[in-house]
Amino acid sequence: MAGFIICGAQWGDEGKGKITDVLCEDFDYVARFQGGNNAGHTVVHGGRTLKLHLIPSGIMYPDIVPVIGNGVVIDPRVLLEEMDALEQQGVSCERLVISTNTHLIMPWHRDLDGANEHRLGANEIGTTRRGIGPAYQDKASRLGLRMQDLFDRSIFREKVATALEEKNDLLAKVYGLPTYTVDEIAEEYLAYGQRLKPHVAEISPLLNEALDQGKWVLFEGAQGTLLDIDHGTYPFVTRSNPTAGGACVGTGVGPTRIDRVLGIAKAYLTRVGSGPFPTELAGEMGARLIEAGHEYGTTTGRQRRAGWYDAPVVKYAVQVNGLTDLAITKLDVLSCAETIKVCVAYEHLGVRYTTVPGHQSAFHHAQPIYEELPGWKTDISGCRTFGELPQAARDYIGYLEELAGVPVSIIAVGPDREQTILRDWPRR
Ligand code: GDP
Ligand code: IMO
Ligand code: MG
């Protein structure tokens, strides 16, 4: 094996960071391929907790090469702060490689993200307000600034001036917000460029040569399948493609180099921000899952919405990503439930759906159909093999496999790297 993709099979926060960290022991390179600092990935090992937003989750391993792919949007100030914070915790960022083609999040992107949400009012997307959407919008409009622009003063100033012609009008005339000058932006951003320059390189040749040499490359997704701009619950989505295809586009590696695509799914379900969520639990059980699972966003601190596991969502993720297998995380959290419900299908206007309906209205009004399984009501966070899990927990995993149509090869029973059951993961 050589090329391996990890992607979220639900609405994000599935524990991708933790699983990436577990698997990176075997890898030579780990590459983020989309998103930006809307992502929040928590990694726990040896009493240390890292909260990562832009840096790939394998950073704790001293020999791995962490890569930020061209599909990522970078707020350079946030990236430098994250690098400094890691260095202070004794985690070296020296080997970090950043694609020359990453697009930059500029101050007006952050302003416009917030202003747009404000304008939408009750219909807001619930974005992280980090400027992600507006930065990708400018990329698509061919008005974006890229990492490589930071290394040529006159090109950078020219491109900022062109962008500001439009942005200052928008900020001042549409939203009544302060504007920017080329001088202030150039001074700040060219200084970021000087600090980041030693890390910037062309990453497509780097990763392709690594794969040619038989090295192992792990592609780490952010967000999740149902937040994908093409395949998610539009318009309640992010602006990139967190699905497996995004790994190829976002790094310059062809699909023929990919050997395995692992989907990460929580043993229940959460979502941050607005949008449909058929299995959402508003009452006491939802509160119990939020408390037991510490369901507060790593990036914004917002309380996540919680609900039962939704098999049609994961089945859809299997299809859209071509998942070869699944990792089920946070199984330990379900120890708080006497009985566990699993949504096996939806019903809308007399039609039964076993995967995500194609029409938005059907999904918005989908009534979940549940199967109820016995809980295990015992602490499983110390289990390290599948056989050590109580029978009810093994049956639960078996049921999820049956519904998804792919095997569950990894199970997480706690946040720490050690709290992981590797069922089908040959260590290198
Ligand atoms: P990501 O965005 O997919 O990387 O997920 P986050 O890091 O945002 O959210 C997952 C949260 O659950 C983090 O706080 C993890 O430390 C934690 N976590 C991951 N796996 C497990 C698990 O198996 N059990 C428990 N209790 N917590 C977990
Ligand atoms: P990780 O990588 C969960 C959600 C936001 C909002 C929508 C659009 O930690 O799984 P954006 O700022 O991207 O324009 O917001 O997407 N969202 C996430 N939800 N986990 C994430 O990342 C998310 N990144 C964005 O809450 O609903
Ligand atoms: Mg997260």
Side-chain angles (χ1 to χ4, degrees):
M1 189 183 60
F4 188 108
I5 299 173
I6 280 189
C7 53
Q10 296 159 328
W11 272 288
D13 299 326
E14 299 92 346
K16 299 174 294 293
K18 176 198 154 125
I19 300 297
T20 299
D21 173 70
V22 168
L23 299 185
C24 271
E25 187 180 323
D26 294 323
F27 282 83
D28 303 295
Y29 291 78
V30 55
R32 267 283 301 272
F33 56 86
Q34 46 65 237
N37 58 308
N38 47 352
H41 301 170
T42 304
V43 173
V44 184
H45 178 59
R48 214 159 36 169
T49 299
L50 302 186
K51 297 207 177 286
L52 303 162
H53 299 287
L54 280 160
I55 307 261
S57 300
I59 191 77
M60 268 214 233
Y61 295 93
D63 298 326
I64 204 162
V65 180
V67 176
I68 298 182
N70 54 276
V72 174
V73 287
I74 294 185
D75 187 327
R77 188 190 61 188
V78 173
L79 176 59
L80 285 163
E81 279 171 7
E82 192 169 332
M83 289 166 71
D84 289 343
L86 286 170
E87 295 281 353
Q88 271 170 18
Q89 289 182 76
V91 179
S92 171
C93 295
E94 209 184 321
R95 288 154 292 111
L96 178 69
V97 184
I98 305 165
S99 163
T100 55
N101 291 344
T102 51
H103 275 250
L104 301 176
I105 296 179
M106 304 301 288
W108 50 86
H109 294 140
R110 293 192 298 265
D111 298 343
L112 292 170
D113 198 353
N116 192 47
E117 285 286 272
H118 185 71
R119 185 176 54 78
L120 287 170
N123 295 325
E124 68 165 18
I125 309 293
T127 74
T128 58
R129 300 188 179 216
R130 299 297 191 265
I132 308 297
Y136 277 114
Q137 189 173 328
D138 276 354
K139 175 179 178 176
S141 303
R142 292 161 289 187
L143 248 189
L145 287 133
R146 294 187 296 172
M147 189 57 77
Q148 56 178 284
D149 296 328
L150 292 175
F151 313 129
D152 186 315
R153 178 173 290 270
S154 67
I155 288 183
F156 186 73
R157 288 183 66 92
E158 201 182 307
K159 289 194 176 184
V160 169
T162 307
L164 283 180
E165 270 174 38
E166 183 202 81
K167 302 304 169 190
N168 277 343
D169 264 3
L170 198 56
L171 289 167
K173 293 181 187 161
V174 178
Y175 294 108
L177 291 171
T179 55
Y180 295 93
T181 66
V182 175
D183 284 339
E184 67 183 333
I185 294 296
E187 193 182 336
E188 181 184 346
Y189 276 73
L190 291 169
Y192 295 146
Q194 285 315 299
R195 281 199 61 196
L196 291 171
K197 199 170 183 180
H199 297 280
V200 177
E202 288 177 45
I203 64 133
S204 173
L206 176 83
L207 295 176
N208 278 288
E209 277 161 31
L211 289 163
D212 289 344
Q213 289 164 14
K215 300 262 200 288
W216 284 27
V217 181
L218 193 155
F219 299 88
E220 180 193 16
Q223 288 84 49
T225 302
L226 275 288
L227 286 173
D228 185 285
I229 187 152
D230 285 272
H231 303 290
T233 45
Y234 191 91
F236 302 102
V237 292
T238 191
R239 284 295 290 258
S240 63
N241 289 112
T243 43
C248 295
V249 178
T251 57
V253 167
T256 49
R257 314 302 303 255
I258 306 301
D259 303 282
R260 195 165 170 176
V261 186
L262 177 72
I264 318 295
K266 255 179 216 183
Y268 48 101
L269 190 51
T270 62
R271 170 164 208 177
V272 203
S274 321
F277 183 174
T279 63
E280 184 167 14
L281 289 162
E284 198 267 331
M285 191 60 220
R288 239 199 271 179
L289 288 174
I290 288 165
E291 198 198 327
H294 304 289
E295 295 297 352
Y296 297 90
T298 313
T299 298
T300 57
R302 286 178 291 176
Q303 184 177 297
R304 296 174 182 147
R305 300 155 66 193
W308 293 120
Y309 185 91
D310 185 325
V313 158
V314 176
K315 200 171 155 189
Y316 177 73
V318 170
Q319 168 197 303
V320 172
N321 298 289
L323 299 183
T324 49
D325 46 347
L326 280 171
I328 297 292
T329 61
K330 300 193 119 172
L331 190 64
D332 54 303
V333 173
L334 286 184
S335 297
C336 73
E338 284 82 19
T339 59
I340 301 166
K341 286 189 183 172
V342 176
C343 168
V344 295
Y346 319 113
E347 209 167 75
H348 176 62
L349 298 177
V351 181
R352 190 184 163 98
Y353 298 89
T354 54
T355 183
V356 174
H359 197 279
Q360 57 190 359
S361 299
F363 196 50
H364 276 262
H365 301 290
Q367 290 303 312
I369 299 168
Y370 289 113
E371 286 290 331
E372 196 156 353
L373 280 75
W376 43 90
K377 288 297 284 175
T378 169
D379 182 8
I380 58 167
S381 62
C383 296
R384 295 293 175 269
T385 62
F386 192 65
E388 285 171 55
L389 288 172
Q391 186 61 47
R394 281 184 273 157
D395 290 346
Y396 184 66
I397 294 292
Y399 192 46
L400 301 193
E401 285 183 318
E402 193 186 307
L403 291 166
V406 293
V408 171
S409 53
I410 298 173
I411 300 161
V413 292
D416 197 278
R417 188 188 290 171
E418 308 304 325
Q419 292 174 300
T420 311
I421 297 171
L422 298 178
R423 282 175 86 194
D424 174 25
W425 179 256
R427 301 246 65 148
R428 202 169 167 190

